[in-house]
Structures are given as structure tokens and as C-alpha cells.
Amino acid sequence: MAREKFQKVHSSAVPVHIENVDTDQIIPARFLKATTRDGFGENLFRDWRYDGNNQPIADFALNNPIYSGDILVSGKNFGCGSSREHAAWAITDFGFKVVVSSFFADIFKNNALNNGLLPVQVSDAFLAQIFEAIEADSKATFTVDLEAQTFTIDATGASASFEINTYKKECMLNGYDDIDYLLSLKDKIEEFEKKRA
Amino acid sequence: MAGKTLFDKIWDAHVVEQIEDGPSVVYIDQHLIHEVTSPQAFAGLDARGLKVLRTNRTVATPDHNVPTIDQDKPIRDDLSRFQVDKLTENCERHGVTLYGLNHPYQGIVHVVGPQLGITQPGMTIVCGDSHTSTHGAFGSVAFGIGTSEVEMVLATQCLMQSKAKRMRITVDGELGPGVGAKDIILYIIAQITASGGTGYFVEYAGSAFRNLSMEGRMTVCNMSIEMGARGGLIAPDETTFEYIRGREFAPKGAEFDAAVAKWRELYTDADAVFDAELHFDAADIEPMITYGTNPGMGVKVTGNVPNLSDIEESGRTSFSKSLEYMGLVPGELLLGKQVDYVFVGSCTNGRIEDLRAVAQFVKGKRKADNITAWIVPGSKQVEKQAQEEGLVAILEEAGFMLRQPGCSACLAMNEDKIPKGKYAVSTSNRNFEGRQGPGARTMLASPITAAAVAVSGKIVDPREFN
């Protein structure tokens, strides 16, 4: 089934300056009881966003009104731990289109791509530049060009290229999903099964 | 031409199609599903008007959110009950085998598969759960997937995956007394960090793994994901074949012999090349415990929390945040620290050998007054076996609370939560913030270390009891 095509993103960003952000932080297990894909954004980073009395924790970036935008920026090894796709759903449901880090966990990366959320991996040094740009100006904007595979800090013009395999890139740009492709291989899959039997 | 690694042999035999500059289409031999990561996948099938393609390659059991008391009664939590009912309904509608809550085979999906002989060498196995790596202990390529991918496998029995790089971790030598499989894997992760294996599929080799039982090997492979690896596997050998022999879904008679002959070909060729090779000496490994909020933050149980100066500069903020959460200070000695809870269970250490080890340790002893000790068998079969072997009586005598099978306090989706600020020594796999309940402070260790802590009421070296 077709999904939204990924367009060029031009936006400010929200910094979660922490390393090894695991998927239990992104969406704690107690919120995984839903049977649909909607509504997880409400509990994105729940235990960092709210205290034990459900009061917002003021200094957490998602609660700080100076930060906004379609881009989430975080420290290395983002999305480690549990395979829960609910983490990708929570991030997209909250409104993010891009996650930037200097390193992503494998399963999270697949889950993100399968939900039209673009994981942009940059070097440690470039990630530091992004955090610096946001620190200097919380409204600093960035441009994410999937077609060109570049991430640009608009204020300085500094740009980094990022990797994505051609197949996944085409899927994102055209709004294709893997299941459509796999379904088109029906005969080939049956042939494979016969050959092995 | 250079030889092939075990991972390559299995992977390559399952590639249906290779997309240029893209992922491989990989055929999946066995799909395991549970209540938490499958409902949206079934909903996706329904939206497309599709049925499960190969019901004979799919098995379901509820484990993540099930209560661990009163399993014969309706689940009290509305959302949990709805999710478990949804699994039942989806399985019935699609004709998928389900081991429901009151079935004698119900349990944690990664305990159930091996125990029933569903898990076999050379297979590709997936599940919407990152600890699917457990099944690699049998020499299979097993890994966790997301729900969109669960939908792909249900619909087509295939998955689109980029092939991981190959890493071999060799541990040779003899383990010291009181040191087990859990200590080996916690040691490795502490050495290479929680992201040291990302992008790789790991083969464990060397005498330290050869000498482990199948259950020990499962503990090791289970935690491959905790170093970021896509999965981990161990070449099958006589230990593997003997474990599988006679199990419910294992081949029988002449078919078993034929299968073993094929399984014997599952090894890494002598001239195969890995993208990364690591070597450790078993003699360097001591009983381990974690002090921080990712599984890479581990030290020997007699050790100290690292000092700030031991940590790379870029990681110091995260390190300090982690220690603050844990209520520990840099350089602190862990021995003697008071503990509140002991949790023995999970897909890492909730098998019969784990329960035996704990029972043997606590026999004739009593848990300390300040400790609440929970034992959660990994499956109904483990529970039954523990009763038959008299382990339940020993454990109850020692003051442990025996609960019914499920994931339980490992991820605290059900009511089994460690209260805020309390310390739990757990045999599970993750010490993330809030993993065992909001504000809970988890320290990961082996079943024997957990047993020693339960008896002492504080962090202790289990070897002191010898």
C-alpha cells in the first residue's frame, strides 16, 4: 500500500543530547498494549518527559518551548535494545520526519525506514556541529535532501552526506512499501520452496 | 576461493532474490509470534485482504504482558486481556498454532521454541522480539524484527534484509568456579560496549562455548543484541543434536539421523574470513554484575564502579546521568551494597538449569529479610519440571515466591514491577532506565550470583559460599 512520499525537509530541530537512547526510553513497555499503530506520540520519551506525578519535566527538550521542528537529533547508538516498532511509531506520531545520530541500532533503522522516518547517520564531529548550531540558536534550521543524500546546517552551510541503499531510497521517495514488492515475488517464493523440498 | 562462515552458509541458502544495491529477499523457515508485536501486523494483512501464507511455519504464544499469578482466571488488566484475546482471535482466524495461557506448552517464546524442538540447526528464525537471537545457540540464523516485518513474513514467508557483516568472538580456556554463561556474555559486552556488535552477526567459537550446555549457549546468544549485534550463533555439535533428539517437533528415527548428517555440515570453513575477530581468555572472566543503565556497563562483582576519568570524554554526561539514576557514585565498591529485589527468570535465564542452579545454591538456606525474591519459570514445561524435580519445594522453603510463566519483571509490562528507587539483582537481559518499572534500579547478574544476593541481602561474590 502506498505511503506518503518523502519530501525534502527544511526545519528546525529538537536536541535530545543523550547517548545509547534505547527503545524502552523512546516508548516504555507499559504503553505497548495497544493493538493499533496510532497514538504512541503521546508517550514518546514518557519517563523523561513526565515525572512520577505526570507533571512535565521542564528541562527535557520535548517540553522546552524553544525547541520545535521535524528533526530529532540524538547521541550515538540511538534506538538500541528492544525491537519494538512502537518506537518508530511514537516518533512519527509525535511529528518527526527525520532522526539524526552518529550511530543507529540495526533493528530501529529498519523499523524507521519501514515507517517513512528517515534515519540520518553523520559523523561524531558533524553531530557535534549540529548540537552546537542548535545551542547557538534554538530556531536554527537544517535541510535534509534525501534525493542528494545530504544534511545541511543552514546557518553555516556545512553539509554532510549520508548513506542509504538505493532500494530503500527509492521506496522512501516514491512511497513504496516492502510488502508490495514481496507480494510481487509470489511465484519466485513458491519456486524456491519447491526447490528446497 | 575463500571458505564460507557458518552465517554465510545459512544465509546464502535462504536468499530468494538479491536486489542490486539493496537488501536480500530472505526465506524464513520459522516464525514465532506473541501478543505485543503482532496485532498491527495481522491488521495489516486484513487491510490487504491477505491470509497467513504458511501456517505450518508460524507458532504463537502469549508471554510479554501476561500476569504471572492466577493464569487460570481472566486477565484483570483490560488492555492486556484485549491484547491476548486479539492474539487468540487472529490465530484462530488464520489457522496459526497457538499455545495459549492455559496450554501446557505456553511460555516465553524463546524458551518454548527450543524446548519443543521447533528450533533446529540451519534454519532462519525470526520473531518480533530482539531476543530471537537466543535460537542461534542451535546454529541457526535467528534475529528480531519489527512489526512491519512480522507482517511481511506472515504474508510472504520472506523478509527484506541487508546482510550483516561477520564477527567471530573466540573464548578459549576453562571457566573458574562460580563463573557461567551469563558471566561470559556480560564480560564480552562490558569489553566491547552495548554498540560494539552493531552491524554484525556474531559467531561464538572456542572451548568456553563448546563446553557449555545448550541452555548456557542460549543465554550467550540471547544477549547478542545487547552488544548491538543482529544475532549470534554457535556451530551445532553433539551437545546440540542430543538436546534436540526426542523433542516434540524434532525429526524422529531415520529422519533424525538424516537431519544430523546435514547439520554436521554447518560449521565455518577453516579458511573463511570474518570482518572482525575478537579473542578472550576464559580464565580472565569472573562473576559479573552491571552498575549502569545499559548492559555494557558491567564489572566483576568484586569490582568498583569506574571513575569519571576512565570514561571517554564524549560519554561522560551519559555516564553521570546513568549513575545518578542508579544512585551510585564513580569509584564506588559494589560489594556490600544493599539490594531489595531478586528476579530470576526471562528468556535469558528462566530455564530449568537456571532454576536448578538457584535451588542448589539456596537449599537449606533462607533469603535475607530485606529481599523480595521472585522466580518466574520460562514456560509451563519448565514450571512442571521444577515441581517434579522438587525444586519448587526447595525454593519456597528458602522464601522465594514462585510465579507462573511469562516475561514478567524483565520488562514489567504486567504488574510485576520493581518499585521506584529499589535495587533489583536480575537474571534478565536489560538494565535500561525504567525497564523493570519506572525508577527501578536493575543490576544484571547470573542465576548463581542472584541466589547469593538473595541469601545475603546485599551484593556478594557467590564464590565466598564455596
Side-chain angles (χ1 to χ4, degrees):
Chain A
M1 278 183 285
R3 63 171 84 250
E4 212 176 305
K5 294 179 184 178
F6 191 91
Q7 312 277 353
K8 199 186 261 195
V9 172
H10 178 75
S11 167
S12 54
V14 180
V16 174
H17 205 157
I18 300 167
E19 292 183 354
N20 297 310
V21 173
D22 58 77
T23 53
D24 275 82
Q25 306 317 313
I26 298 171
I27 183 86
R30 63 187 189 280
F31 300 114
L32 306 185
K33 292 178 184 175
T35 54
T36 65
R37 292 172 180 240
D38 312 315
F40 289 101
E42 202 183 315
N43 295 311
L44 173 64
F45 293 117
R46 180 77 203 189
D47 294 336
W48 287 349
R49 252 166 93 195
Y50 297 95
D51 64 17
N53 301 315
N54 291 323
Q55 293 307 306
I57 296 168
D59 65 353
F60 185 62
L62 270 69
N63 293 330
N64 190 334
I66 67 167
Y67 300 120
S68 63
D70 301 340
I71 304 168
L72 176 66
V73 187
S74 194
K76 75 174 169 199
N77 200 25
F78 186 86
C80 59
S82 160
S83 61
R84 60 188 70 164
E85 192 164 316
H86 312 66
W89 298 336
I91 294 170
T92 52
D93 189 53
F94 191 84
F96 292 114
K97 296 190 168 80
V98 178
V99 191
V100 186
S101 176
S102 57
F103 200 75
F104 287 97
D106 292 326
I107 304 179
F108 176 81
K109 203 190 299 182
N110 281 351
N111 287 341
L113 288 166
N114 283 333
N115 286 280
L117 174 68
L118 182 66
V120 171
Q121 185 165 323
V122 297
S123 67
D124 285 324
F126 194 79
L127 185 69
Q129 286 185 42
I130 298 172
F131 280 125
E132 279 163 24
I134 301 171
E135 202 170 317
D137 173 10
S138 64
K139 296 287 169 227
T141 58
F142 306 89
T143 303
V144 187
D145 186 341
L146 174 57
E147 187 81 58
Q149 294 179 224
T150 54
F151 184 97
T152 308
I153 304 172
D154 295 340
T156 60
S159 191
S161 62
F162 59 87
E163 297 281 322
I164 180 170
N165 72 53
T166 311
Y167 168 81
K168 276 292 177 193
K169 180 176 167 178
E170 288 302 309
C171 286
M172 290 282 282
L173 288 171
N174 296 303
Y176 300 152
D177 80 12
D178 282 357
I179 298 189
D180 290 331
Y181 184 79
L182 287 172
L183 288 169
S184 76
L185 296 182
K186 190 169 175 283
D187 294 345
K188 219 167 171 177
I189 294 167
E190 280 174 8
E191 199 181 303
F192 179 87
E193 286 178 325
K194 276 194 204 118
K195 212 169 62 196
R196 286 175 82 228
Chain B
M1 201 178 83
K4 277 183 158 188
T5 70
L6 171 58
F7 168 67
D8 284 304
K9 286 182 184 178
I10 300 171
W11 181 276
D12 295 351
H14 287 83
V15 173
V16 174
E17 183 179 86
Q18 181 61 51
I19 297 169
E20 209 184 318
D21 192 21
S24 316
V25 175
V26 182
Y27 191 81
I28 302 303
D29 293 318
Q30 184 63 51
H31 191 194
L32 305 166
I33 58 176
H34 62 85
E35 78 280 22
V36 176
T37 58
S38 68
Q40 294 87 350
F42 278 108
L45 287 193
D46 294 342
R48 291 169 201 261
L50 297 169
K51 298 298 271 183
V52 174
L53 184 70
R54 298 287 174 248
T55 50
N56 60 335
R57 295 185 179 277
T58 315
V59 171
T61 192
D63 55 4
H64 277 63
N65 80 24
V66 301
T68 55
I69 47 165
D70 297 335
Q71 287 186 348
D72 55 329
K73 301 197 180 78
I75 300 175
R76 272 178 302 201
D77 181 277
D78 289 340
L79 290 173
S80 296
R81 189 179 61 250
F82 185 72
Q83 209 171 36
V84 171
D85 287 349
K86 198 84 193 161
L87 180 69
T88 308
E89 179 199 314
N90 283 328
C91 287
E92 278 173 1
R93 211 153 36 85
H94 285 267
V96 169
T97 302
L98 168 74
Y99 301 130
L101 255 196
N102 292 304
H103 193 283
Y105 292 166
Q106 181 268 337
I108 304 175
V109 64
H110 310 308
V111 176
V112 170
Q115 193 168 253
L116 293 176
I118 292 171
T119 303
Q120 294 171 20
M123 282 182 163
T124 47
I125 302 175
V126 297
C127 173
D129 186 276
S130 62
H131 292 112
T132 309
S133 58
T134 310
H135 307 265
F138 292 79
S140 62
V141 167
F143 53 93
I145 56 176
T147 297
S148 295
E149 295 171 317
V150 170
E151 187 180 338
M152 290 174 210
V153 180
L154 290 175
T156 68
Q157 206 57 41
C158 287
L159 204 54
M160 320 231 357
Q161 290 286 307
S162 297
K163 193 174 181 181
K165 291 182 285 182
R166 312 145 193 87
M167 177 188 285
R168 179 161 60 189
I169 298 178
T170 306
V171 182
D172 276 316
E174 294 278 328
L175 292 172
V179 181
K182 183 66 163 287
D183 301 303
I184 305 179
I185 191 65
L186 284 175
Y187 176 85
I188 293 170
I189 303 168
Q191 297 293 314
I192 75 170
T193 80
S195 59
T198 305
Y200 292 96
F201 217 97
V202 176
E203 179 173 348
Y204 300 98
S207 58
F209 301 113
R210 283 277 145 253
N211 294 336
L212 289 178
S213 68
M214 282 317 292
E215 296 198 357
R217 294 179 192 183
M218 284 186 244
T219 299
V220 170
C221 291
N222 172 277
M223 289 192 72
S224 302
I225 183 69
E226 307 313 336
M227 57 177 109
R230 206 65 187 82
L233 78 175
I234 296 174
D237 59 11
E238 295 308 320
T239 305
T240 320
F241 311 144
E242 282 316 305
Y243 179 94
I244 297 171
R245 186 194 293 275
R247 291 190 184 262
E248 173 103 34
F249 297 105
K252 305 276 158 41
E255 277 184 31
F256 180 77
D257 297 337
V260 169
K262 263 171 54 186
W263 294 341
R264 284 188 200 285
E265 290 163 23
L266 296 169
Y267 55 85
T268 288
D269 295 329
D271 57 344
V273 179
F274 288 82
D275 299 292
E277 288 251 30
L278 299 172
H279 295 266
F280 299 104
D281 186 346
D284 292 339
I285 305 175
E286 295 192 35
M288 295 288 293
I289 194 159
T290 65
Y291 60 86
T293 56
N294 73 57
M297 301 175 83
V299 288
K300 56 187 180 184
V301 72
T302 55
N304 299 60
V305 175
N307 285 301
L308 208 56
S309 56
D310 302 330
I311 307 298
E312 238 179 86
E313 211 171 317
S314 65
R316 286 184 193 168
T317 312
S318 297
F319 175 77
S320 299
K321 180 179 183 299
S322 176
L323 289 196
E324 194 184 321
Y325 179 86
M326 290 299 292
L328 296 171
V329 295
E332 184 174 350
L333 181 72
L334 292 168
L335 283 177
K337 182 140 192 93
Q338 187 159 319
V339 173
D340 309 290
Y341 282 77
V342 165
F343 169 64
V344 176
S346 85
C347 57
T348 314
N349 283 120
R351 297 187 173 78
I352 193 66
E353 287 179 12
D354 302 313
L355 270 59
R356 281 184 199 139
V358 173
Q360 194 189 348
F361 192 95
V362 301
K363 190 171 185 177
K365 300 188 184 80
R366 173 104 199 135
K367 73 160 184 71
D369 289 341
N370 58 303
I371 295 282
T372 301
W374 290 339
I375 295 228
V376 184
S379 71
K380 290 275 199 301
Q381 284 191 308
V382 171
E383 183 184 40
K384 183 164 175 271
Q385 204 174 345
Q387 269 154 0
E388 287 167 358
E389 291 182 14
L391 308 180
V392 170
I394 295 169
L395 292 164
E396 283 179 345
E397 181 76 8
F400 281 71
M401 185 191 289
L402 255 297
R403 302 181 74 95
Q404 292 172 304
C407 298
S408 180
C410 172
L411 84 167
M413 255 194 98
N414 67 358
E415 323 56 81
D416 305 349
K417 291 177 171 56
I418 308 298
K420 184 173 190 263
K422 298 291 183 190
Y423 288 94
V425 168
S426 297
T427 67
S428 49
N429 41 58
R430 288 185 176 138
N431 50 355
F432 297 152
E433 282 184 32
R435 172 79 179 180
Q436 295 199 279
R441 292 163 164 169
T442 301
M443 305 175 106
L444 303 174
S446 74
I448 290 177
T449 300
V453 169
V455 167
S456 312
K458 53 190 188 342
I459 294 177
V460 66
D461 184 342
R463 296 168 297 189
E464 277 178 26
F465 289 78
N466 289 337

